[in-house]
Amino acid sequence: MSANKLKERKKISCPVEYAVSVLSGKWKLRILYAITKQSPKRFKELEREISGITPTMLTAQLRELERDGIIEREVFATVPPTVEYRLTAFGKTTAPMMNEIKNWGLLLKAHQAGNNGNEIS
Amino acid sequence: MSANKLKERKKISCPVEYAVSVLSGKWKLRILYAITKQSPKRFKELEREISGITPTMLTAQLRELERDGIIEREVFATVPPTVEYRLTAFGKTTAPMMNEIKNWGLLLKAHQAGNNGNEIS
DNA sequence: CTGGATCCCTGAGGATACTG
DNA sequence: CAGTATCCTCAGGGATCCAG
């Protein structure tokens, strides 16, 4: 997200839009969900857990989450390098929301399964 | 969202990713939030409430929400035309999630206000 | 292992004009 | 009022290569 976008964000009044401005991004919620489930988490663990993501994108989205104060990064001077990501105190406030999103995802899936024998029709 | 994307959706296992696949789109959550707060809602009311959206985009996103079984559309043969949008029974299951998203948006805003006298630094 | 730096591309999003 | 039809832009996302 550009610096310009950051300035735009300050003008937002709608709380939902405000939340979206921080959570949008193809992988943000999945990353957040993965770290919420188990923390801390290493870079490689995240990469494995979030199928389809590339290291480049993972890095980019992690940086934004970090910049927004939701996660923090700890580097260990080991060989090979180790980096752990965990929720900040503020990041933990996303837990109820993440939980509801997960629950609704499950509801949605069940609902669609109910509606769709649409392979046939 | 293309028909191809719909097929892709069936492969998704992660509930969060599944929810995101339906809710992603720049205006989806704001539309949903607006209809959740007060239902039914007319096209023009939505357009007014969601600042920045164009009629074209509003239509497109409403169609997707309708196709996904979250909202429904009722047309009245009046002059001028009237169209009302409301949550479906399933759409109402988004309420707890929407509420948490809104709450977190408020938290986030308060949090950033706390961190940022960064105009000066 | 954990990324940074580049370049490229697609499709979501937007602008405009028109209509029942 | 509530859309549809077109066309076009641009930035988010991805691929690739390189490095501490």
Side-chain angles (χ1 to χ4, degrees):
Chain A
M1 185 178 281
S2 66
N4 202 345
K5 285 279 177 77
L6 285 181
K7 290 183 185 176
E8 289 301 315
R9 193 140 91 199
K10 294 184 179 176
K11 301 176 188 172
I12 298 174
S13 60
C14 171
V16 171
E17 184 182 3
Y18 206 83
V20 167
S21 78
V22 169
L23 300 175
S24 71
K26 190 173 180 181
W27 309 96
K28 288 271 182 69
L29 285 173
R30 290 191 69 192
I31 293 171
L32 205 49
Y33 180 56
I35 300 182
T36 298
K37 280 194 298 186
Q38 182 216 321
S39 175
K41 214 141 205 166
R42 299 186 51 192
F43 187 88
K44 199 64 179 179
E45 292 178 312
L46 288 169
E47 189 182 348
R48 265 195 296 266
E49 187 164 339
I50 303 169
S51 60
I53 198 170
T54 60
T56 306
M57 285 311 299
L58 181 53
T59 299
Q61 307 260 303
L62 284 169
R63 289 291 174 279
E64 291 197 10
L65 287 170
E66 188 186 1
R67 193 206 51 202
D68 288 329
I70 295 171
I71 63 174
E72 57 192 4
R73 187 168 170 269
E74 188 176 5
V75 182
F76 298 91
T78 54
V79 175
T82 302
V83 179
E84 288 184 354
Y85 292 90
R86 75 193 71 220
L87 293 176
T88 61
F90 177 69
K92 290 177 184 172
T93 65
T94 59
M97 176 178 67
M98 289 308 301
N99 200 44
E100 289 298 339
I101 292 175
K102 182 200 68 179
N103 287 148
W104 189 75
L106 292 171
L107 269 182
L108 174 63
K109 193 146 192 176
H111 180 252
Q112 306 244 333
N115 285 13
N116 296 333
N118 302 12
E119 300 298 313
I120 310 154
S121 67
Chain B
M1 185 179 281
S2 66
N4 203 345
K5 285 279 178 74
L6 284 181
K7 289 182 184 176
E8 290 301 315
R9 194 139 91 198
K10 294 184 179 177
K11 301 176 188 170
I12 298 174
S13 60
C14 170
V16 171
E17 183 182 3
Y18 206 82
V20 167
S21 78
V22 170
L23 300 175
S24 71
K26 189 172 180 183
W27 308 96
K28 289 270 182 70
L29 285 173
R30 292 190 68 193
I31 292 171
L32 207 48
Y33 180 57
I35 300 182
T36 298
K37 280 194 297 186
Q38 182 217 321
S39 174
K41 215 141 205 167
R42 301 185 49 191
F43 188 89
K44 200 63 179 181
E45 293 178 312
L46 288 168
E47 190 183 346
R48 264 194 296 266
E49 186 165 340
I50 303 169
S51 61
I53 198 170
T54 59
T56 307
M57 285 310 299
L58 181 53
T59 298
Q61 308 259 302
L62 283 169
R63 290 291 175 279
E64 290 197 8
L65 287 170
E66 188 186 1
R67 192 206 53 202
D68 288 329
I70 295 171
I71 63 174
E72 57 193 4
R73 187 168 169 271
E74 188 176 6
V75 182
F76 298 90
T78 54
V79 175
T82 301
V83 178
E84 288 184 355
Y85 292 90
R86 76 194 70 220
L87 294 175
T88 60
F90 176 70
K92 290 177 184 172
T93 65
T94 59
M97 176 178 66
M98 289 307 302
N99 199 43
E100 289 298 338
I101 293 174
K102 181 200 67 177
N103 287 148
W104 189 75
L106 292 170
L107 269 182
L108 174 64
K109 192 145 193 176
H111 181 252
Q112 306 244 334
N115 285 14
N116 296 335
N118 301 11
E119 300 298 314
I120 309 154
S121 67

